[in-house]
Amino acid sequence: MAGRLTTHVLDTARGCPAAGVRIVLDRIEGAARVRLAEALTNADGRTDSPLLAGERCAAGTYELTFGAGDYLRAAGLTDDGIAFLDEIPIRFGVRAGQHYHVPLLLSPYGYATYRGS
């Protein structure tokens, strides 16, 4: 079974997908980071393709960073353009050969994530 990593972002304040959120994926290797992917969410709040797939989805520690502040400012969901949440990093472990779906549920003052399917 080939592994893959997917994500999506939902705007829970407005009850809709969050389009245009910048997402960065890094692999954490000790004190170093290796940039693997960058993407913007589409109209459905998802990336157009998996961030990792197949052999590239190796076991290890990864970090997704969501550019929430830019999205919240563009959506008019900040106080005077100052976002409480700016960059949201989510660090997680991956086992080879599995599907990982790591969604972000976003509002101006909080967020949640989980391992989805």
Side-chain angles (χ1 to χ4, degrees), residues 14 23 25-27 29-30 32 37 40 46 50-51 62 67 74 79 81 85-86 90 96 100 104:
R14 298 189 308 169
I23 300 170
L25 174 66
D26 292 318
R27 181 178 170 89
E29 297 178 355
L40 284 176
R46 300 176 183 277
L51 294 168
Y62 294 84
D79 294 325
L85 296 170
D86 192 18
I90 300 172
Y100 288 83
L104 181 72

Side-chain angles (χ1 to χ4, degrees), residues 34-49:
V34 177
R35 178 72 35 95
L36 300 177
E38 292 185 40
L40 284 176
T41 56
N42 59 26
D44 195 32
R46 300 176 183 277
T47 58
D48 290 330
S49 59

Side-chain angles (χ1 to χ4, degrees), residues 1-64:
M1 174 183 189
R4 63 189 168 120
L5 171 64
T6 57
T7 187
H8 75 276
V9 183
L10 297 176
D11 179 334
T12 59
R14 298 189 308 169
C16 63
V21 176
R22 181 174 179 260
I23 300 170
V24 174
L25 174 66
D26 292 318
R27 181 178 170 89
I28 308 301
E29 297 178 355
R33 318 176 145 261
V34 177
R35 178 72 35 95
L36 300 177
E38 292 185 40
L40 284 176
T41 56
N42 59 26
D44 195 32
R46 300 176 183 277
T47 58
D48 290 330
S49 59
L51 294 168
L52 284 179
E55 292 178 10
R56 292 190 66 220
C57 194
T61 301
Y62 294 84
E63 187 171 281
L64 283 169

Side-chain angles (χ1 to χ4, degrees), residues 61-93:
T61 301
Y62 294 84
E63 187 171 281
L64 283 169
T65 303
F66 296 87
D70 289 341
Y71 170 81
L72 293 168
R73 280 187 283 279
L77 296 173
T78 60
D79 294 325
D80 299 325
I82 299 171
F84 175 70
L85 296 170
D86 192 18
E87 298 286 318
I88 300 174
I90 300 172
R91 190 171 288 193
F92 55 97

